[in-house]
Amino acid sequence: SILSKHFRVFYDETGSIGKRYRRQDSIGTPYCITVDQDTLDNNTVTIRDRDSMKQEIINVDNLIDYLHQKLND
């Protein structure tokens, strides 16, 4: 994946999205990226921040820059 060239990534598709978020929260994953039908339709992903639980929808083309900025703040 394009992300694995820049970050340590983990792919998970088991269980419901809520269970996936909880599982990643428990191991300390700072950001979860959800790929869904919207990704296929309009090239966007949802990014969930572990600490605030805030979710943002961004264009896939901006994903690497977005994560670099968030992780370096």
Side-chain angles (χ1 to χ4, degrees):
S1 85
I2 61 168
L3 290 178
S4 64
K5 294 177 184 175
H6 301 271
F7 310 100
R8 289 187 351 192
V9 298
F10 177 79
Y11 179 77
D12 184 1
E13 65 178 36
T14 59
S16 70
I17 189 67
K19 288 181 182 178
R20 285 182 240 161
Y21 283 153
R22 284 190 294 281
R23 197 166 36 246
Q24 294 305 310
D25 289 349
S26 71
I27 62 172
T29 304
Y31 296 98
C32 289
I33 301 165
T34 302
V35 174
D36 58 15
Q37 188 61 44
D38 288 339
T39 305
L40 302 175
D41 293 342
N42 57 22
N43 208 38
T44 60
V45 292
T46 302
I47 299 181
R48 178 182 174 271
D49 181 294
R50 175 198 61 216
D51 298 335
S52 69
M53 295 189 178
K54 180 181 173 186
Q55 295 185 1
E56 293 184 65
I57 297 172
I58 68 164
N59 190 287
V60 171
D61 296 335
N62 301 328
L63 186 55
I64 291 171
D65 289 339
Y66 176 93
L67 290 171
H68 275 300
Q69 178 186 7
K70 290 291 188 177
L71 293 168
N72 290 321
D73 281 349

